């Protein structure tokens, strides 16, 4: 009987001591988990900021590459086509109801220098008012002969091939030549002209 | 002395490797071109930017080309709707023969005519057929010279991986 009583008392005491330890530990545990959550939140915010900074850096690098590419392109052009001997040829299309452009062939002084095929999209861009730089060359000062042959579909979707020629004088400084396709409502035909721009 | 010789050999190897790499088009920007197609319209490579493009150089006198074309057509029909395009570039002097062969084989992909051989020179075509695969950014990723049965499986893997990029 005494033994049973002693066992009971010991068990109760042990249970009480465990309970007190548990009570002491609970707030501490709660404290650590809150701290952990706060730390996790802070690190997430930091990584988000880092990510944003990296993204900005990548964007600025991309911009720098694009700028560099543009500068190199301009530099290359300046070196290859010095302004003094430069001649640029442009193609423009006004209305284009009587002519569906397929290709333009350019000969300078009897030598073929460009043969450009126009896709549907490119021809459409020209019809919307776009101007296409079809060729760029370096020419000596003096007289030069230009022959432009326009190929496409004419009125009633017939195959159409027409040439235009001009003798132009290349002076000092850059020169711009426009190959212009227009509609002649009177003739119900397309017209081809070559214009010089100074 | 030995070290010097091996160093020279190493430098030579590096130069040789770099010159070989320069001769290879893989990794370079695909040269742009425009050619007349079998449907009569002009097609320009750069207008397909954003799609994976296979350029297949072929000729009517080339047996393996004839063997390869139905497989290419199957690839085109299967993947066209998900951003894959195939341009067959015929290098015959007479486009009439090429048209006959296209009809004969029932090929559906656009065939372009390079009678002046300007585009095949641009792509340094030294064998027949030559198949060039260009990624969405316009970079040449794979170049295959010739054709052997089974190559179509390799094409399939490469196209699928480029479409996934």
């Amino acid at each position: 009987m005494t033994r049973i009583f002693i066992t009971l008392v010991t068990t109760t005491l042990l249970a009480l001591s465990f309970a007190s330890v548990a009570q002491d530990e609970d707030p501490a545990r709660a404290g650590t988990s809150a701290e952990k959550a706060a730390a996790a939140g802070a690190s997430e915010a930091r990584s988000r900021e880092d990510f944003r900074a990296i993204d900005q850096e990548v964007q600025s690098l991309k911009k720098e590459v694009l700028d560099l590419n543009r500068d190199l392109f301009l530099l290359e052009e300046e070196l290859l086509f010095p302004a003094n001997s430069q001649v640029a040829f442009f193609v423009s299309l006004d209305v284009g109801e009587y002519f569906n452009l397929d290709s333009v062939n350019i000969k300078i002084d009897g030598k073929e220098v460009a043969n450009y095929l126009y896709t549907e999209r490119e021809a459409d861009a020209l019809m919307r008012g776009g101007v296409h730089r079809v060729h760029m060359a370096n020419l000596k000062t003096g007289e030069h002969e230009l022959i432009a042959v326009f190929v496409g579909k004419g009125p009633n979707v017939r195959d159409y091939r027409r040439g235009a020629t001009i003798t132009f004088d290349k002076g000092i400084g850059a020169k711009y030549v426009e190959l212009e396709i227009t509609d002649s409502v009177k003739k119900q035909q397309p017209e081809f002209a070559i214009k010089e721009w100074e | 002395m030995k070290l010097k010789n091996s160093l020279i050999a190493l430098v030579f190897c590096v130069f040789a490797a770099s010159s070989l790499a320069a001769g290879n088009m893989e990794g370079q920007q695909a040269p742009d071109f425009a050619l007349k197609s079998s449907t009569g319209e002009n097609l320009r490579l750069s207008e397909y930017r954003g799609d994976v493009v296979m350029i297949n150089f072929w000729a009517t006198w080339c047996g393996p080309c004839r063997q390869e074309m139905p497989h290419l057509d199957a690839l085109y029909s299967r993947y066209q709707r998900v951003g894959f395009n195939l341009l067959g570039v015929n290098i015959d002097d007479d486009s009439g023969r090429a048209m006959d062969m296209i009809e004969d084989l029932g090929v559906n992909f656009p065939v372009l005519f390079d009678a002046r051989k300007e585009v095949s020179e641009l792509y340094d075509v030294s064998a027949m057929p030559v198949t060039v695969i260009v990624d969405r950014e316009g970079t040449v990723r794979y170049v295959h010279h010739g054709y052997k049965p089974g190559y179509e499986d390799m094409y399939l893997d490469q196209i699928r991986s480029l479409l996934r990029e």
Side-chain angles (χ1 to χ4, degrees):
Chain A
M1 186 67 186
T2 329
R3 207 178 281 170
I4 292 167
F5 181 71
I6 291 167
T7 323
L8 258 172
V9 167
T10 327
T11 326
T12 320
L13 279 173
L14 269 170
L16 279 171
S17 69
F18 270 121
S20 71
V21 167
Q23 263 180 355
D24 286 346
E25 271 179 9
D26 266 347
R29 259 192 212 162
T32 11
S33 57
E35 273 168 26
K36 270 182 190 170
S43 74
E44 200 179 306
R46 214 176 304 130
S47 66
R48 215 175 290 154
E49 259 173 47
D50 286 350
F51 186 72
R52 208 172 295 148
I54 289 169
D55 192 41
Q56 274 172 356
E57 225 168 277
V58 168
Q59 289 302 326
S60 68
L61 267 173
K62 265 188 192 173
K63 198 185 165 296
E64 270 174 43
V65 168
L66 284 174
D67 289 348
L68 190 68
N69 196 29
R70 185 201 55 207
D71 291 348
L72 280 172
F73 177 76
L74 292 174
L75 194 68
E76 188 189 341
E77 218 171 34
E78 275 166 28
L79 284 170
L80 291 176
F81 303 101
N84 280 347
S85 57
Q86 194 184 88
V87 184
F89 300 91
F90 297 91
V91 171
S92 73
L93 186 66
D94 187 21
V95 188
E97 265 180 42
Y98 302 121
F99 189 67
N100 204 342
L101 183 62
D102 181 80
S103 69
V104 172
N105 184 287
I106 297 174
K107 278 183 186 170
I108 300 174
D109 301 326
K111 195 181 163 196
E112 186 184 295
V113 291
N115 184 41
Y116 197 91
L117 289 180
Y118 286 88
T119 64
E120 210 181 309
R121 251 193 238 178
E122 288 170 321
D124 188 50
L126 286 176
M127 273 181 78
R128 286 162 191 262
V131 175
H132 174 233
R133 192 180 72 188
V134 66
H135 182 63
M136 217 155 130
N138 283 312
L139 293 178
K140 279 189 265 175
T141 50
E143 270 198 358
H144 296 277
E145 189 199 35
L146 165 74
I147 302 170
V149 178
F150 303 87
V151 180
K153 298 273 180 204
N156 305 317
V157 206
R158 275 193 216 140
D159 285 340
Y160 211 93
R161 190 184 168 89
R162 280 278 295 274
T165 181
I166 190 175
T167 304
F168 63 92
D169 195 42
K170 169 78 179 73
I172 297 166
K175 190 170 194 78
Y176 303 102
V177 179
E178 184 185 354
L179 314 174
E180 195 184 28
I181 306 164
T182 50
D183 280 348
S184 166
V185 184
K186 252 191 201 171
K187 294 180 192 165
Q188 302 265 303
Q189 292 280 335
E191 279 186 346
F192 304 89
I194 302 177
K195 269 188 196 168
E196 286 180 61
W197 298 90
E198 286 301 334
Chain B
M1 189 65 187
K2 254 188 183 175
L3 186 75
K4 198 182 169 187
N5 280 348
S6 51
L7 199 70
I8 291 167
L10 187 75
V11 169
F12 180 75
C13 284
V14 168
F15 270 105
S18 63
S19 66
L20 268 176
N24 193 348
M25 287 198 77
E26 285 174 3
Q28 291 180 19
Q29 198 69 14
D32 192 26
F33 61 85
L35 288 171
K36 182 139 313 262
S37 75
S38 48
T39 55
E41 57 180 337
N42 300 328
L43 299 180
R44 183 173 293 280
L45 176 69
S46 57
E47 288 187 1
Y48 291 93
R49 184 69 59 88
D51 283 357
V52 173
V53 184
M54 178 186 262
I55 309 163
N56 177 252
F57 292 90
W58 65 280
T60 49
W61 44 262
C62 153
C65 303
R66 183 177 277 271
Q67 221 179 334
E68 186 188 34
M69 281 174 100
H71 297 295
L72 298 183
D73 198 48
L75 282 174
Y76 175 69
S77 314
R78 197 162 152 196
Y79 291 101
Q80 191 205 2
R81 73 188 95 161
V82 289
F84 170 68
N85 265 293
L86 176 49
L87 302 174
V89 179
N90 175 264
I91 62 149
D92 282 79
D93 294 331
D94 176 16
S95 59
R97 272 192 215 165
M99 288 293 274
D100 290 345
M101 191 166 140
I102 298 164
E103 270 181 37
D104 213 30
L105 293 171
V107 161
N108 292 310
F109 58 81
V111 171
L112 316 176
F113 302 111
D114 183 28
R116 294 170 72 156
K117 317 277 187 293
E118 283 169 345
V119 179
S120 47
E121 268 175 35
L122 210 59
Y123 279 81
D124 198 20
V125 174
S126 53
M128 245 334 101
V130 167
T131 306
V132 179
I133 306 178
V134 180
D135 68 12
R136 293 181 195 275
E137 304 288 321
T139 308
V140 174
R141 296 290 289 272
Y142 305 102
V143 181
H144 301 283
H145 296 271
Y147 170 77
K148 279 180 195 163
Y151 271 27
E152 61 275 9
D153 297 331
M154 190 167 56
Y155 298 158
L156 180 73
D157 286 345
Q158 290 170 350
I159 290 163
R160 284 175 67 97
S161 76
L162 291 182
L163 282 171
R164 257 190 239 117
E165 278 181 7

